[in-house]
Amino acid sequence: MRYAVIDFETTGDQPSDDIIQVGLVVIEDGVISRRYSSFVRPNKSIPEFIVQLTGITDEMVADAPVLEDVLSDMLPLLADSALVAHNAGFDHMFLRYACERSGYLPFDGRVIDTIPFLRILFPSLTSLQLSMVSAAFGLGHDRPHQADSDAEVTALIWLKCLERFDTLPLLTVQKLAQLFESDPSDMGWFMQEMRVRKESAVSIDPETNRYFRQYVLNVGDWDEEKPAREEEGSPQIGKNESFDEFYDKIKTNLRSKFEHYEEREAQEHMIREVESSFSSDRHLMVEAGTGTGKSLGYLIPSLYHGIKEDKKVIISTHTINLQEQLRQRDIPLLQDIFPVPFRAAVLKGRSHYLCLRKFEQKLYNRDFASEKEDRITAAQMVVWLSETNHGDDEELYFAGRGAEFWQTVGSDTDSCLNRMCPWFKKCFYHRARNEANIADVVITNHSLLFTDIQAENRLLPAYKQLVIDEAHHFEEVASKHLGMDLHYASLVNTLLWLYKDAKNGQLPSLQFRLQRGSEQKAADWNQTIESVYPRMVRIKEEWDKLTELLYMFVSERNDGGGTESGQLVLRLKPEALPKAWSSLLVIEENIYLEATEIGKKLERLVTELKEETDEFATSSVLTDLSGSVKALLRHRDVLRFFMQMPDPHYVYWLEAAPYFKSKSLQVFAVPLDVSHLLKQHFFEAKDSVVLTSATLTVNKTFQYSASQLGLQPLSDTEKVKTVQLASPFQYRKQALVLIPRDFPSVKGATADEVFLGALVGSLADVAKETKGRMLVLFTSHRMLKQIHPELKERLKPSGIQVLGQGVDSGNRSKLIRMFRSQSSSVLLGTSSFWEGVDIPGEALTCLAIVRLPFQPPNHPLVEAKSEQLKKNNLNPFTALSVPQAVIRFKQGFGRLVRTAKDRGVVVIYDTRVLETSYGRNFLYSLPGPKIEHLSTQQLVPRISDWMGEENG
C-alpha cells in the first residue's frame, strides 16, 4: 500500500488562513521513497504567534512559490495514495480548500489520522502530541512545527504503527476489524485491510496458547502462581542469621552492581530503626527528607522481617504514583541484589482492575454510549489485553471519554460472579489478591487500608506489621474514607444503569432475554420490571427537587463566590438548620421509600431468576443488576444519614459549582476526629506501625502529627519511637532562601492591585535573571489567574513561556512535561503542585512561594476542628492552622532540591514569616538552607551573585 504523509504550516486554523509551508513524505512497500517540501508565499502577513510557534517569518516566505505552483508539484505525489497526517482533519481541510482555490480537483483518496491509531496500537502512550510521541519512540525531531520535519517524523511514526500491526496476534487484528466492521469511515476500511493482510500472511498463529474466549491475553491462570521460595533447595534466611549478616550480603551485592556505590548515612540509620521497630514490636515515626532513599530504607527491613518470620508486611502509600514507582523501580532493583528470592505484590482498589466479563459483554452487545469514541477505547483495550500482566487502568492512557468507558467495565464487588464466572481464573482483581496472599510484602495505598477496615479486613491478607509512607496524608485520607458522600450524578447514574431508555439499561436488557422463557413466568417477571419504572422516575424527580432546594441554600449563603477554587460550600449544623428543612425531610422520605420498594422487588426477581436459569449471558445481566440495586440502596442510606444527621461527632456539609448548579451538588458527612479510630484499628491492633514522610515535624517536634494520628502521648517510648533523620543534601550550599522584607502584604482574603502589581513585576525580573526555570506556588486559583496574563505579556519579549495550572492545562503531568521540554519556562501552580512534583536538575532553578499555605478557615472540617479545640481551651490557629501550613510549606520547599547536584533559590513573598510570632515556625522547620532578608530591589542582584558563585 502507498501512503502520502503530509503536514502543513499555516497562518492560523481558519478556512480563510493561508498555507506557508508544505511537507510531504511518500511511503511505498514499508519504506520512504520520496520527499517533497517547500515554503509557500501567503496572501497575508504571518501573525506573531505563528512566527513564535514555527520560526517561519515573512522574510523566509517572501520569495517562495505561490500555492498553485506548489500544488502542481505536490498533487501528482498524492495519486493512488492514502493520505496520512497527525491530526488529519486539519491538514485534509487545508488541502481541500487549497485545491478549490487553485482550481484543482479535490483529493478523493482515503484519509488516515495517526492519532486514533496511536491510541489503539500503543495503549500506554502518555501523550499524543507529535514531539512527545517522537521522543517516546526515540525518533529525532529537531524542528517541531516546521512542515518538512513534522511530515518526516509523522512518516516514521506511521511506519512504527504498521510494524505494530505486523506484530499483533492474528486474533487481536481480527477483533479490531470486527469492532470497526460497521464503521463507514476510512478507519473502518483500513482495519479490514489490516485483517486481510494479516490473514494472508499468517496461516498458523503462534499465539494460540494465549487465546481465551476469543481474546488474546498475556496471562495464564492466576492459581498457577507460586510463592517465591517454594521449590526445594531455594535460598532461605537462616534461623540464626542476624539482620547485620543479611544486610552485609545486600551491601556486597550493591558494590558489585554499582561501581560508585556509597552508603548513605541517613538511609543506614532508617534501615536499622525500621528493623528494630519490627523486631521489638514498637511503632516508629521517622521523618526522612528528599535524598534519604526512604523507599529502600523501609523495603529492605520489611522484606527481611517478612521472609524470616514468615509474616506479611503491608506497605501503604498515599498516591498510586508512588505504588507504581515502588513496583517499577525499587522492587526490580531489590530482586537483583537480594540474597534470597522474594515476591512483592501491588494491590489497589478494586475499581482499578478490568472486569473481563463486563468487557466481553460490552463488546458482544456493542453497548457503546459514544459510537466513535467508545469503539477506539475498546480497540485500545483489546490490544492492551495482549500485553498487560496486571489489568490495571494506570497502564492505560485514556483520551476523550475513555475514563467513562472504564467505569462501565471496572471490577466491583457487587457484580462479581466469583467462581461462577468463566473468566474467574484469568480475573485481574483475583490475580492481584492471590499475588498479595503469596507475597512477602504487599504494596497498597491508604484508601484501600480504610476500605479494608470497612470490609471487616476481608480485602488485605492478615498482617501485624505496617509501613505508612507519605504519612502526613494518613489522617486526611482516614477522614475521607471513614466518612460518606453522595454526588448528584452518582444516584442518577445508578438509575441510568438500571434503565436509560426502552432499549438501554440492565432492566430492558433483562426483559429482552425473558422473551425467550416460559410465557407465564416471563409475563409475571416482566410485570414486576414494568412496575419498577414509575418508581425510578419518581426517585429521579424527587432527587432533582431535593438537590435544587439544597443548591438554593448553598448559593444564598455564598455571596462572595465560594472558595478559591470557585466551589460553593455550606456547613450544616443539626442545631441550626434552615427553616424549610422539615419539607426537605419529606422529600428524602419519599426517595427512601421508593428505593426500598425497588430494592425488595428487584432482589426477589433476581433470586427467582437465578434459580431458573444458568445461561451465562442472563446470569451476567442478573449479577450486574444486583450490583446496581445494592448501589441504589447504599445511596439511599448515605442520603438518610446526611439528612437526619444522627451522629454529633460528624461534620455535615454541601458543595456545588456555580456553573453546573444543582447538577454538581455533593453532600458530605465526615467524622470530626479520626484519631481514636486510627488508634483502635492500627496502633492498638498491630504489633508495629512505621510512619514515614519528608514532613512529619513542626518546629523539629512530632507532637502535631502524633496528635492527629492518635499516637498521643509520645512520652511512651516503650511503644513509640520518633526519629528525625539529617538530610544528605548540603542545603547551606545548595539552597538560598530570600525574603523581600519591604514587599506589600495582603490584607484580608484577596490581594489588592498594589500587591498584584508588585508580584508581577518582581516575578518577571527574577524570571529574566534565572532564564525561566521557575516554579511559582500559589494558594489561590484566583490570584494565579489574575497574575498569568500580565506575567506572560512581560516575559514574551525575553522568550520565556508562562504556563498556568487551570489556564494552559488542568493536567499536572502534562504541564510538568511542557515545563521540562521548554528550557525557558515559568510554571504557575496551586494546590497539587505543592507536593509530589519532581523536577530535578537545571529545569528548576528558582522556586517562588507567593503566600504561606494556610487552609481556608471557613472549610467545614477546619471550622469544626477549630470549634472543638476552642472547647478544649486551645488556640485553633496555633494548634491546627499553623502546623498544617508548616507541613505544606515544607512540602513546597522540597520541590527545589531533588538531587545532590541541584542548586537554586527560594523567594518567599509573604512577609509574615518575618513579621509575626508564628512566622519563625516556618523558617525553623526548613532543613538548614541559607536564609536572607533584603529589599525587593536587591533580589535580582543577590540571585545573580548566588547563581554565579562556584561553591555556594
Side-chain angles (χ1 to χ4, degrees):
M1 203 183 291
R2 191 171 189 266
Y3 304 100
V5 184
I6 63 163
D7 189 83
F8 295 136
E9 300 305 330
T10 62
T11 57
D13 58 5
Q14 298 303 309
S16 56
D17 281 303
D18 290 346
I19 295 171
I20 55 175
Q21 190 188 22
V22 166
L24 171 64
V25 176
V26 179
I27 296 173
E28 290 178 277
D29 300 322
V31 292
I32 293 172
S33 60
R34 292 283 302 273
R35 291 178 178 85
Y36 172 80
S37 69
S38 174
F39 286 120
V40 182
R41 188 163 76 232
N43 296 315
K44 58 172 80 168
S45 184
I46 300 172
E48 179 57 32
F49 78 96
I50 296 291
V51 173
Q52 284 200 347
L53 181 71
T54 63
I56 301 171
T57 62
D58 286 329
E59 292 72 35
M60 291 165 75
V61 296
D63 299 323
V66 293
L67 182 64
E68 289 82 353
D69 295 343
V70 171
L71 285 175
S72 71
D73 291 339
M74 191 180 89
L75 288 174
L77 298 173
L78 301 184
D80 304 319
S81 302
L83 193 73
V84 176
H86 196 73
N87 189 14
F90 175 87
D91 298 286
H92 185 227
M93 175 184 82
F94 270 95
L95 177 63
R96 198 170 71 245
Y97 285 126
C99 289
E100 275 177 24
R101 283 182 200 162
S102 307
Y104 287 99
L105 288 170
F107 173 79
D108 62 353
R110 304 282 188 181
V111 179
I112 295 169
D113 189 349
T114 51
I115 288 177
F117 282 101
L118 284 167
R119 273 176 66 185
I120 292 167
L121 297 168
F122 302 95
S124 302
L125 267 182
T126 55
S127 171
L128 298 169
Q129 199 184 329
L130 193 62
S131 55
M132 295 293 185
V133 176
S134 58
F137 288 161
L139 303 172
H141 190 200
D142 50 349
R143 288 176 293 109
H145 303 295
Q146 291 222 351
D148 55 342
S149 179
D150 283 359
E152 181 76 19
V153 83
T154 303
L156 295 172
I157 286 168
W158 183 239
L159 286 170
K160 291 269 185 197
C161 289
L162 294 175
E163 280 171 32
R164 182 72 185 111
F165 265 115
D166 287 342
T167 60
L168 285 177
L170 171 62
L171 184 59
T172 300
V173 176
Q174 289 171 328
K175 205 80 183 168
L176 294 177
Q178 199 182 336
L179 265 171
F180 287 88
E181 228 166 15
S182 58
D183 183 358
S185 74
D186 290 342
M187 191 168 184
W189 159 80
F190 185 80
M191 287 297 190
Q192 306 316 316
E193 289 289 309
M194 287 297 103
R195 178 183 58 78
V196 171
R197 172 174 146 168
K198 188 78 177 178
E199 285 173 348
S200 61
V202 178
S203 53
I204 298 170
D205 195 338
E207 307 288 345
T208 47
N209 62 324
R210 291 161 57 198
Y211 287 2
F212 187 75
R213 293 180 68 86
Q214 294 299 298
Y215 284 85
V216 180
L217 301 178
N218 194 32
V219 290
D221 290 357
W222 52 256
D223 61 355
E224 292 167 3
E225 301 279 342
K226 298 290 182 275
R229 297 168 304 284
E230 193 175 68
E231 289 172 29
E232 236 178 275
S234 182
Q236 306 284 339
I237 297 176
K239 281 263 186 263
N240 300 317
E241 187 175 352
S242 70
F243 179 70
D244 286 346
E245 291 168 315
F246 182 79
Y247 187 38
D248 281 342
K249 289 181 189 173
I250 291 176
K251 287 195 277 192
T252 303
N253 292 345
L254 274 168
R255 286 189 196 97
S256 63
K257 187 174 171 65
F258 299 105
E259 196 181 327
H260 302 294
Y261 167 70
E262 286 177 18
E263 289 179 17
R264 299 188 209 177
E265 194 181 327
Q267 190 183 59
E268 288 272 312
H269 190 171
M270 181 170 176
I271 286 170
R272 295 187 185 285
E273 289 290 356
V274 174
E275 196 280 323
S276 169
S277 77
F278 284 158
S279 59
S280 58
D281 289 347
R282 187 174 59 198
H283 303 318
L284 173 70
M285 294 182 81
V286 55
E287 182 173 82
T290 314
T292 305
K294 68 177 183 321
S295 300
L296 295 189
Y298 56 69
L299 280 170
I300 290 171
S302 295
L303 283 162
Y304 169 80
H305 188 81
I307 295 166
K308 188 172 184 188
E309 302 297 325
D310 195 22
K311 288 180 177 175
K312 204 77 67 187
V313 179
I314 303 284
I315 289 164
S316 178
T317 70
H318 173 52
T319 56
I320 299 280
N321 275 355
L322 183 52
Q323 263 185 292
E324 286 302 318
Q325 183 184 305
L326 294 174
R327 188 209 306 258
Q328 291 166 20
R329 189 189 72 184
D330 299 300
I331 294 299
L333 166 66
L334 285 173
Q335 280 170 332
D336 257 9
I337 60 168
F338 239 61
V340 297
F342 70 84
R343 288 195 74 132
V346 171
L347 187 59
K348 299 179 182 176
R350 187 161 188 161
S351 62
H352 286 286
Y353 299 97
L354 176 69
C355 171
L356 287 158
R357 177 189 65 78
K358 285 187 189 176
F359 185 64
E360 179 190 37
Q361 288 293 115
K362 195 169 185 70
L363 267 59
Y364 177 78
N365 294 326
R366 290 287 189 273
D367 178 15
F368 299 146
S370 164
E371 195 71 26
K372 185 183 173 187
E373 266 295 314
D374 283 4
R375 204 183 256 138
I376 291 171
T377 304
Q380 177 187 18
M381 289 171 69
V382 165
V383 173
W384 170 69
L385 276 178
S386 69
E387 305 170 345
T388 181
N389 292 314
H390 306 295
D392 174 349
D393 65 346
E394 293 293 315
E395 300 170 349
L396 278 164
Y397 174 70
F398 287 127
R401 297 175 61 170
E404 290 173 37
F405 183 95
W406 179 273
Q407 285 177 351
T408 64
V409 293
S411 180
D412 71 281
T413 312
D414 294 336
S415 65
C416 184
L417 284 169
N418 288 303
R419 293 184 181 279
M420 300 292 290
C421 180
W423 290 95
F424 181 65
K425 289 202 174 168
K426 306 288 184 191
C427 174
F428 292 115
Y429 174 67
H430 285 102
R431 176 179 306 278
R433 289 277 305 274
N434 180 62
E435 284 175 358
N437 284 328
I438 60 174
D440 302 293
V441 158
V442 180
I443 299 162
T444 186
N445 54 62
H446 302 348
S447 296
L448 191 59
L449 275 186
F450 293 110
T451 308
D452 184 49
I453 287 172
Q454 288 166 320
E456 296 172 348
N457 306 110
R458 289 195 303 269
L459 304 181
L460 291 168
Y463 65 97
K464 284 291 184 179
Q465 279 74 29
L466 170 66
V467 177
I468 300 169
D469 198 347
E470 300 175 297
H472 59 286
H473 281 295
F474 198 56
E475 183 261 351
E476 172 199 338
V477 177
S479 289
K480 185 180 172 188
H481 276 267
L482 299 173
M484 298 171 227
D485 68 287
L486 177 61
H487 192 284
Y488 169 83
S490 301
L491 180 51
V492 172
N493 286 342
T494 302
L495 293 171
L496 288 175
W497 288 339
L498 288 164
Y499 177 80
K500 192 170 187 179
D501 53 46
K503 288 182 182 174
N504 297 295
Q506 291 157 354
L507 290 171
S509 175
L510 182 57
Q511 282 180 293
F512 173 72
R513 292 182 188 287
L514 292 178
Q515 289 169 9
R516 294 174 290 183
S518 69
E519 283 186 25
Q520 185 50 52
K521 282 188 174 178
D524 292 344
W525 291 328
N526 196 51
Q527 195 176 352
T528 301
I529 294 171
E530 289 292 337
S531 73
V532 160
Y533 291 149
R535 293 185 183 279
M536 288 169 59
V537 170
R538 283 197 289 276
I539 289 180
K540 171 72 167 61
E541 286 169 353
E542 295 287 275
W543 181 229
D544 281 341
K545 200 189 301 178
L546 181 62
T547 49
E548 277 167 26
L549 290 167
L550 290 171
Y551 179 77
M552 273 172 55
F553 290 147
V554 166
S555 55
E556 281 167 7
R557 287 166 173 76
N558 275 274
D559 304 332
T563 62
E564 281 297 348
S565 60
Q567 278 290 95
L568 304 176
V569 178
L570 175 66
R571 182 178 166 204
L572 294 163
K573 299 182 184 180
E575 69 277 7
L577 289 168
K579 282 179 186 170
W581 196 256
S582 55
S583 60
L584 270 63
L585 288 171
V586 173
I587 300 172
E588 183 275 329
E589 177 72 12
N590 293 340
I591 294 172
Y592 189 91
L593 292 172
E594 295 289 7
T596 304
E597 201 53 39
I598 290 171
K600 279 181 194 167
K601 283 175 177 280
L602 293 183
E603 280 170 351
R604 197 182 308 123
L605 176 74
V606 167
T607 306
E608 285 178 25
L609 280 166
K610 277 184 176 171
E611 288 168 4
E612 289 284 328
T613 180
D614 50 8
E615 185 197 335
F616 169 61
T618 307
S619 297
S620 208
V621 173
L622 290 175
T623 305
D624 291 340
L625 174 59
S626 181
S628 298
V629 171
K630 284 174 187 166
L632 178 65
L633 297 179
R634 263 199 312 275
H635 298 330
R636 171 203 71 178
D637 293 342
V638 170
L639 183 61
R640 167 137 294 190
F641 188 85
F642 173 80
M643 292 298 294
Q644 297 194 348
M645 304 182 193
D647 192 331
H649 300 109
Y650 271 65
V651 185
Y652 305 90
W653 76 92
L654 297 164
E655 279 188 29
Y659 188 71
F660 296 105
K661 302 199 170 170
S662 63
K663 302 284 183 285
S664 65
L665 191 95
Q666 194 165 5
V667 305
F668 292 88
V670 170
L672 172 59
D673 180 12
V674 292
S675 60
H676 63 287
L677 293 167
L678 296 180
K679 195 170 188 172
Q680 175 193 337
H681 291 293
F682 296 104
F683 305 117
E684 288 176 351
K686 307 301 172 193
D687 291 343
S688 179
V689 179
V690 174
L691 299 124
T692 184
S693 162
T695 53
L696 281 178
T697 64
V698 176
N699 263 356
K700 308 282 191 271
T701 164
F702 288 87
Q703 286 301 129
Y704 170 72
S705 294
S707 67
Q708 295 294 297
L709 293 163
L711 265 173
Q712 290 286 63
L714 271 175
S715 52
D716 181 8
T717 51
E718 291 299 308
K719 193 61 187 164
V720 187
K721 186 174 182 185
T722 60
V723 177
Q724 192 175 9
L725 298 173
S727 171
F729 297 150
Q730 294 181 294
Y731 277 101
R732 196 127 184 92
K733 290 184 176 180
Q734 289 181 258
L736 171 67
V737 175
L738 297 176
I739 308 157
R741 57 174 172 256
D742 59 347
F743 207 75
S745 54
V746 175
K747 294 172 180 63
T750 52
D752 57 19
E753 292 302 318
V754 176
F755 179 84
L756 293 173
L759 183 61
V760 170
S762 182
L763 287 173
D765 292 344
V766 171
K768 287 173 195 169
E769 179 58 41
T770 60
K771 300 180 179 61
R773 301 182 299 180
M774 182 179 186
L775 173 63
V776 187
L777 293 177
F778 290 82
T779 55
S780 153
H781 286 271
R782 190 182 297 139
M783 196 188 292
L784 185 155
K785 285 176 179 169
Q786 286 172 307
I787 292 286
H788 183 274
E790 199 178 332
L791 186 61
K792 193 168 189 168
E793 200 59 39
R794 292 260 193 121
L795 292 175
K796 193 191 283 183
S798 307
I800 296 171
Q801 183 185 24
V802 176
L803 300 166
Q805 181 188 3
V807 182
D808 298 287
S809 172
N811 183 309
R812 186 174 83 158
S813 305
K814 185 177 177 183
L815 281 169
I816 293 167
R817 275 202 308 271
M818 289 162 74
F819 178 71
R820 293 179 76 158
S821 64
Q822 303 275 345
S823 56
S824 301
S825 291
V826 174
L827 176 55
L828 314 181
T830 58
S831 49
S832 64
F833 279 82
W834 282 80
E835 63 179 290
V837 172
D838 199 4
I839 311 171
E842 289 192 359
L844 182 60
T845 303
C846 181
L847 174 74
I849 293 175
V850 174
R851 301 274 286 147
L852 297 177
F854 285 103
Q855 268 197 304
N858 58 350
H859 185 278
L861 207 48
V862 178
E863 189 181 88
K865 285 184 176 184
S866 298
E867 287 168 7
Q868 191 64 37
L869 287 165
K870 279 181 193 166
K871 281 181 191 168
N872 298 334
N873 295 319
L874 291 167
N875 181 333
F877 185 70
T878 52
L880 180 68
S881 300
V882 171
Q884 273 183 344
V886 168
I887 283 174
R888 195 102 173 114
F889 177 78
K890 285 170 71 179
Q891 285 285 342
F893 176 85
R895 298 313 97 213
L896 183 71
V897 178
R898 308 300 298 167
T899 73
K901 292 179 182 174
D902 290 353
R903 195 164 178 278
V905 179
V906 179
V907 183
I908 303 171
Y909 285 105
D910 194 330
T911 52
R912 288 178 293 178
V913 290
L914 299 175
E915 294 162 357
T916 61
S917 57
Y918 60 81
R920 61 189 169 77
N921 292 315
F922 291 87
L923 300 179
Y924 186 57
S925 288
L926 294 178
K930 207 170 191 177
I931 300 175
E932 298 176 9
H933 43 95
L934 64 187
S935 72
T936 309
Q937 295 302 314
Q938 293 170 302
L939 262 184
V940 172
R942 183 65 187 104
I943 292 171
S944 177
D945 289 349
W946 166 263
M947 298 310 289
E949 287 171 22
E950 284 299 311
N951 300 310

